[in-house]
Amino acid sequence: MSCVLISLPARAPLAVREGMDPAEALKAVTLNPAEVLGVSDRIGSLEPGKDADLALWSGDPLDTRNRVLRTWIDGEQVYTHAED
């Protein structure tokens, strides 16, 4: 997998800092890639009937000071952040 794809979520906060609209930055790492890959009917946004993958953040996901607290894939919780 390309280094660009791996670091794409890390680049969204940088784009916002440089002036990109936050909603567009989120789409740039969620719905837009799903559309490019032809799988937006299953993933890329939260809608009834789509795969239930979700991350719960400690705050704004576009703020690099925040972190993922919990993650669910296909409706099953697969990650819980350990308390400090």
Side-chain angles (χ1 to χ4, degrees):
M1 182 176 288
S2 167
C3 291
V4 173
L5 291 178
I6 293 170
S7 66
L8 189 60
R11 293 175 190 258
L14 297 175
V16 170
R17 185 180 74 194
E18 294 299 319
M20 186 176 197
D21 176 71
E24 290 302 313
L26 282 175
K27 282 178 60 178
V29 296
T30 56
L31 184 57
N32 292 351
E35 288 175 344
V36 168
L37 294 171
V39 293
S40 62
D41 60 321
R42 294 188 314 107
I43 63 173
S45 61
L46 294 175
E47 296 178 42
K50 287 191 172 185
D51 292 353
D53 299 350
L54 179 69
L56 175 66
W57 289 76
S58 61
D60 183 353
L62 296 174
D63 183 335
T64 57
R65 296 170 294 185
N66 294 316
R67 62 179 178 249
V68 173
L69 299 176
R70 295 184 180 170
T71 303
W72 292 266
I73 297 176
D74 291 332
E76 178 184 341
Q77 187 170 328
V78 296
Y79 173 78
T80 300
H81 176 74
E83 293 297 321
D84 297 328

